[in-house]
Amino acid sequence: MPAPDDPAPVPRRVRVTSPRTSAAQRSTSHTGTREIDEQTRVGEVYMHSLIQSQLRLTLAVIGGAVVVLGGLPLLFFLVPATRTLAVVGVPLPWLLLGVLVYPVVYVAARIYVRQAERIETEFTEFVGRQ
């Protein structure tokens, strides 16, 4: 029996390890998102591709809207009879410019949003696979 003045024995240090230390380590391959986060050259190419796709979509939608809406004054200029034509007592130019403009802008916006979401989804899927 130890004396009351004796210090307690110091416990021996024990190293605790996981039983899976010999298991295969997960590969740390560079994913597309990691390339973008680290701003590597490959990440820059990915981002440039996304921006180019978005720019092409934007220019296509704006171009289509400009052709449709910009074509109305051209129609009035080239076909003078449309300037004086009335539909249900409302002059055709007023009807086209006051009513047709809103559905065209709405449809253009819907097309843009749907296609932009598709581009972003495809980009996210592609970058996640890399």
Side-chain angles (χ1 to χ4, degrees):
M1 189 158 171
D5 292 337
D6 289 341
V10 178
R12 194 172 150 206
R13 294 183 101 187
V14 177
R15 186 170 138 185
V16 178
T17 60
S18 170
R20 296 187 44 126
T21 55
S22 62
Q25 297 291 324
R26 191 177 356 171
S27 68
T28 57
S29 63
H30 289 280
T31 62
T33 54
R34 187 170 176 187
E35 295 286 345
I36 293 169
D37 291 342
E38 292 177 359
Q39 297 180 351
T40 64
R41 180 70 181 132
V42 174
E44 288 178 18
V45 170
Y46 289 158
M47 290 307 298
H48 183 71
S49 170
L50 174 64
I51 291 169
Q52 287 296 102
S53 297
Q54 291 173 337
L55 179 62
R56 275 193 301 276
L57 172 64
T58 301
L59 293 177
V61 171
I62 288 174
V66 166
V67 166
V68 170
L69 297 177
L72 290 175
L74 187 62
L75 171 72
F76 300 144
F77 178 74
L78 295 176
V79 184
T82 58
R83 291 183 228 165
T84 57
L85 186 63
V87 176
V88 191
V90 179
L92 182 64
W94 285 31
L95 190 63
L96 292 178
L97 293 173
V99 176
L100 182 70
V101 170
Y102 297 104
V104 169
V105 171
Y106 177 77
V107 168
R110 291 286 302 203
I111 290 171
Y112 178 79
V113 168
R114 183 171 293 160
Q115 294 299 326
E117 288 174 349
R118 182 188 58 81
I119 288 171
E120 290 176 6
T121 301
E122 289 175 359
F123 177 78
T124 303
E125 289 174 359
F126 175 76
V127 169
R129 284 193 308 246
Q130 297 299 315

